[in-house]
Amino acid sequence: MTKTEAELTGDLIKIKAMEYLNVNQAALLYGISRRTIYRLVNQGYLNVAKFGRRTILRRADLESLFSLPITIEIDQPVQEFEGIDSCYSIKEVQQKFNVSPAALYNLLQQYGIAKYAIGRYTYVAKRDINLLFNANGL
């Protein structure tokens, strides 16, 4: 059963006057889905009160959520590529330090060492690898 535009407008006028809203009313008021409301609740952006199976939100909480400025974080590169001359290939690291591919991969992940893929080969900075293996006593 679909509601006419006049009924929806009347509902919105009533909802705007309410201090506490259920999930359906909040979704209608802000033009977002019920699932989005629940997602915001689960992520901790909205506080709710539960009365049995009924979920109630404060309109003030919704207004403050949507009044926050949106900030976009852009990851900056950890370091610039130093050139192939100052890098080891993965194969060179494995041979020089006698480390298996899996162990090397885990170390690079654990210590956040940047890898550079150039063509078919992957390189890592000699400085980072020398620090890593000297620090670990390998």
Side-chain angles (χ1 to χ4, degrees), residues 50-98:
K50 295 287 278 184
F51 296 104
R53 296 181 62 183
R54 189 173 175 160
T55 303
I56 304 296
L57 302 113
R58 283 186 356 172
R59 196 176 86 231
D61 290 343
L62 285 161
E63 289 170 355
S64 66
L65 173 73
F66 290 109
S67 68
L68 294 175
I70 297 173
T71 57
I72 299 173
E73 295 181 18
I74 299 173
D75 291 336
Q76 298 298 323
V78 176
Q79 62 190 35
E80 293 294 322
F81 180 61
E82 301 174 8
I84 292 177
D85 296 335
S86 61
C87 292
Y88 291 123
S89 71
I90 295 295
K91 189 74 167 174
E92 289 173 330
V93 175
Q94 291 171 1
Q95 291 171 350
K96 182 173 182 172
F97 296 101
N98 193 25

Side-chain angles (χ1 to χ4, degrees), residues 105-122:
Y105 175 79
N106 287 335
L107 286 170
L108 294 176
Q109 292 295 326
Q110 180 180 357
Y111 291 101
I113 296 175
K115 299 180 287 189
Y116 309 101
I118 301 173
R120 294 177 38 197
Y121 301 101
T122 302

Side-chain angles (χ1 to χ4, degrees), residues 27-48:
L28 179 64
L29 181 63
Y30 287 97
I32 57 179
S33 70
R34 293 178 61 230
R35 180 68 192 122
T36 300
I37 298 286
Y38 283 115
R39 191 177 308 116
L40 291 169
V41 169
N42 290 335
Q43 292 173 350
Y45 292 112
L46 289 174
N47 295 322
V48 296

